[in-house]
Amino acid sequence: PQRFSVELLYVRRYWDRAMGFLPALPDRVIERSIDIDASSEVVWQHLIDHARLHEWWPCREACLVTAGEQGNGPGAVREIRSGWQRLRETVVAWEPGRRLDYRLTAGAPLRRHFGRVELESVSGARCRLRYTIRFCPAIPGTGWLLQRLIARMLDQGLGRLQSLCTTARGEQR
């Protein structure tokens, strides 16, 4: 009479992950942290500006394919082009000025990709950026190589971002 039903299922603990009750864990994790001599607001503006992503990330161009919440927020899809490669990222969550989470949804030999960028104010004119990437290689045995390549790209990109934000801070004075 209440149109209510209950379904019970008992699964042995060792089957939880295989049956989808626990998320599959990523094989690879890359973490970087860098201090930038600029406010978190300045750094945040560079992080969410898709059109200017090529100024710091090693790519030829990036463009917003689908707008999300507040333009660049959750639901936004951007395409990143670098030579023959085209990647698609989807912003899944963000706290403006503090955190940006995204998933790589197409164009790379990765599965279960998750990226997180966090900003923390260290002092009034200085912030700490933490960048974390988690993924599984789509091709078995290539995880170590992909991890090295992505880590190198991340190191280059963060170095450029640091220079760009420091320069922007100097121009604002």
Side-chain angles (χ1 to χ4, degrees):
Q2 296 175 344
R3 297 179 187 259
F4 181 72
S5 66
V6 175
E7 183 178 331
L8 298 175
L9 172 66
Y10 173 77
V11 178
R12 295 200 185 272
R13 206 161 192 59
Y14 54 85
W15 283 103
D16 281 353
R17 190 169 312 283
M19 295 194 68
F21 294 117
L22 295 174
L25 300 174
D27 291 343
R28 303 292 173 159
V29 178
I30 302 166
E31 295 178 316
R32 296 293 188 265
S33 182
I34 188 169
D35 286 350
I36 300 175
D37 287 327
S39 68
S40 56
E41 292 82 21
V42 169
V43 178
W44 181 255
Q45 289 308 311
H46 284 286
L47 287 172
I48 66 169
D49 190 349
H50 302 301
R52 295 178 61 194
L53 182 71
H54 68 278
E55 292 180 5
W56 63 276
W57 188 254
C59 67
R60 189 170 31 104
E61 68 177 313
C63 63
L64 193 61
V65 175
T66 306
E69 194 179 295
Q70 300 172 9
N72 297 329
V77 177
R78 69 177 168 192
E79 186 172 272
I80 301 169
R81 298 181 195 119
S82 180
W84 55 269
Q85 190 174 33
R86 288 175 179 234
L87 305 174
R88 285 223 171 174
E89 293 179 344
T90 302
V91 176
V92 293
W94 78 346
E95 293 175 40
R98 294 196 58 235
R99 180 178 60 96
L100 169 70
D101 294 349
Y102 69 95
R103 291 200 176 277
L104 195 59
T105 54
L110 307 175
R111 293 181 298 135
R112 294 192 296 274
H113 174 279
F114 175 79
R116 172 171 281 174
V117 184
E118 296 174 287
L119 294 174
E120 173 189 352
S121 290
V122 177
S123 67
R126 187 180 183 107
C127 74
R128 179 166 295 128
L129 183 145
R130 283 191 191 92
Y131 206 122
T132 306
I133 297 174
R134 299 173 187 278
F135 69 92
C136 289
I139 303 167
T142 61
W144 67 272
L145 178 61
L146 289 169
Q147 187 171 7
R148 289 182 82 180
L149 291 172
I150 294 169
R152 184 183 308 155
M153 289 174 58
L154 186 57
D155 290 340
Q156 290 173 357
L158 292 180
R160 287 186 199 138
L161 180 64
Q162 184 179 40
S163 297
L164 191 63
C165 291
T166 303
T167 303
R169 179 178 167 244
E171 292 172 0
Q172 286 181 344
R173 287 183 190 174

